[in-house]
Amino acid sequence: MTDPILSIEDLHVRFDTYAGTVHAVNGMTFEMQPGEMFGLVGESGCGKSVTGLAALRAVPSPGRIENGRIIFSGEDVMQKSEEEMQAIRGGRIAMIFQDPTASLNPVFTAGNQITRQIQQHSNASKKAAKERALEMFDEVGLPNPEGIYRAYPHELSGGMQQRVMIAMALASGAELLIADEPTTALDVTIQAQILALLSELRQNEGLSILLITHDLGVVAETCDRVAVAYAGRIVETGTVDDVLYQTKHPYTQGLMSALPDMVEHGHPLQVIKGNVPDGLRPVTGCPFHPRCYAVMDICREQQPLPIQMESQKHSVACHLYEEAK
Ligand code: SF4
């Protein structure tokens, strides 16, 4: 196995608020291989977006990375200077978000924004940057690249804006794209087109993609491997086949049984009872225990550690499987 392109080890992120310290990420650990499409999945508030921002050392104030290691392409992100991080952000690592309008500047044309980005991360002339921008617009399937180049963000549909964001990531030579709910704000047909584009870029360009999503259906269609996050840590990880079709963790089982597809296949729709834990009041033991159908005494006291399943790539943090071993 090659060295991971991104490795997150025991990451803890806190937000110091007037109400107290919010424990947003609590020991998140996973790694992704180069050229992989890796899904980080969970309900909102599970720490997945904050983890994506932490990979870029871009957690907004009052957030702070309390501890943990973030290794990108063999380099320790936590040891980089702010100047080095600025070169990495939008350069070797790019991030796209659910709402591309918030990422694009409304007063500059798409062409102006992409050429500036290219010039920031290379010494290309304005002419060469424009040529590269048009090439990238074409590569991400934007019709009439010259027209898009001259257009302001409000003149483009949501799907086109997201393609512009992806073109910007490619144009600056990103090796890793962190895509945070990139299709959630788009209608279903456009969603499928953007996901197909990401899969193509992964295959043709060798781009590594960390896909952050709440949608297991999206993961099933596009990812190689997946990590399921709950209360700021990973509870189950493995190949998509292992995690979605040999599901072990009670939380992942709950997410799966709430999928509309499962209902179509004759399974009753089940909702996970209770609410996601409040980051201000961390739960002792397994953070899922107040909602778990299989809770045992040990679950209220001890936090479970990841256990390797029969398939070496599949691991689950749940006391049920310690008992079985
Ligand atoms: Fe449920 Fe216990 Fe497993 Fe947590 S450790 S998921 S409470 S069985």
Side-chain angles (χ1 to χ4, degrees):
M1 206 182 240
T2 46
D3 288 338
I5 185 151
L6 179 69
S7 162
I8 306 272
E9 294 169 28
D10 200 26
L11 179 70
H12 292 253
V13 181
R14 305 284 179 252
F15 285 80
D16 297 312
T17 70
Y18 288 115
T21 299
V22 177
H23 297 236
V25 177
N26 301 299
M28 190 77 80
T29 299
F30 65 87
E31 58 181 40
M32 53 180 291
Q33 297 301 314
E36 186 173 45
M37 175 95 91
F38 187 89
L40 180 57
V41 71
E43 292 167 285
S44 82
C46 71
K48 57 193 192 304
S49 296
V50 176
T51 300
L53 290 167
L56 283 165
R57 267 200 16 224
V59 176
S61 175
R64 62 186 160 86
I65 296 174
E66 189 177 67
N67 57 46
R69 269 166 49 96
I70 301 165
I71 308 293
F72 167 62
S73 219
E75 295 172 37
D76 189 340
V77 168
M78 298 302 288
Q79 300 304 322
K80 299 263 173 215
S81 66
E82 187 45 38
E83 201 181 326
E84 288 171 317
M85 283 314 298
Q86 277 173 15
I88 289 178
R89 290 185 203 115
R92 295 177 67 200
I93 310 179
M95 188 158 181
I96 59 171
F97 299 90
Q98 177 173 342
D99 179 10
T101 35
S103 307
L104 288 165
N105 189 325
V107 301
F108 293 107
T109 61
N112 185 301
Q113 297 184 56
I114 190 170
T115 43
R116 264 197 300 169
Q117 168 120 348
I118 294 168
Q119 287 185 297
Q120 241 173 40
H121 294 281
S122 70
N123 43 22
S125 66
K126 202 165 176 199
K127 185 167 174 277
K130 179 175 179 183
E131 274 168 19
R132 175 122 180 101
L134 293 176
E135 240 175 67
M136 290 301 115
F137 284 166
D138 187 48
E139 181 157 354
V140 299
L142 281 163
N144 182 14
E146 279 281 359
I148 301 285
Y149 192 87
R150 291 190 299 271
Y152 286 90
H154 74 270
E155 296 174 302
L156 304 172
S157 67
M160 284 175 162
Q161 290 174 353
Q162 201 58 293
R163 283 179 197 265
V164 168
M165 291 305 301
I166 296 169
M168 283 170 79
L170 292 179
S172 356
E175 296 156 47
L176 169 64
L177 177 68
I178 302 177
D180 188 359
E181 303 277 8
T183 59
T184 306
L186 305 174
D187 69 44
V188 179
T189 333
I190 310 296
Q191 257 186 31
Q193 291 172 5
I194 296 287
L195 291 173
L197 170 64
L198 292 178
S199 295
E200 254 173 61
L201 293 173
R202 198 277 299 258
Q203 252 159 26
N204 302 341
E205 309 291 325
L207 186 65
S208 310
I209 303 175
L210 175 61
L211 182 67
I212 297 175
T213 179
H214 68 282
D215 191 336
L216 281 175
V218 164
V219 167
E221 277 169 39
T222 54
C223 293
D224 307 301
R225 290 191 307 131
V226 57
V228 180
Y230 187 78
R233 58 172 69 85
I234 301 301
V235 295
E236 181 158 11
T237 186
T239 64
V240 163
D241 279 352
D242 283 340
V243 174
L244 303 194
Y245 304 108
Q246 306 289 328
T247 312
K248 296 281 190 269
H249 195 281
Y251 175 60
T252 321
Q253 287 168 354
L255 289 179
M256 290 297 292
S257 58
L259 277 179
D261 270 12
M262 298 296 279
V263 181
E264 271 169 30
H265 287 96
H267 297 268
L269 177 68
Q270 287 179 11
V271 176
I272 307 172
K273 63 172 188 176
N275 297 314
V276 287
D278 178 352
L280 280 167
R281 291 171 201 80
V283 176
T284 311
C286 169
F288 189 59
H289 86 249
R291 306 174 75 186
C292 183
Y293 69 84
V295 61
M296 303 172 284
D297 288 344
I298 188 175
C299 307
R300 298 188 177 88
E301 288 148 24
Q302 279 180 32
Q303 192 178 300
L305 296 172
I307 298 162
Q308 215 73 43
M309 296 289 106
E310 301 79 51
S311 151
Q312 285 306 302
K313 290 180 185 158
H314 191 186
S315 92
V316 182
C318 173
H319 291 303
L320 281 176
Y321 303 96
E322 280 164 16
E323 296 281 300
K325 287 221 154 187

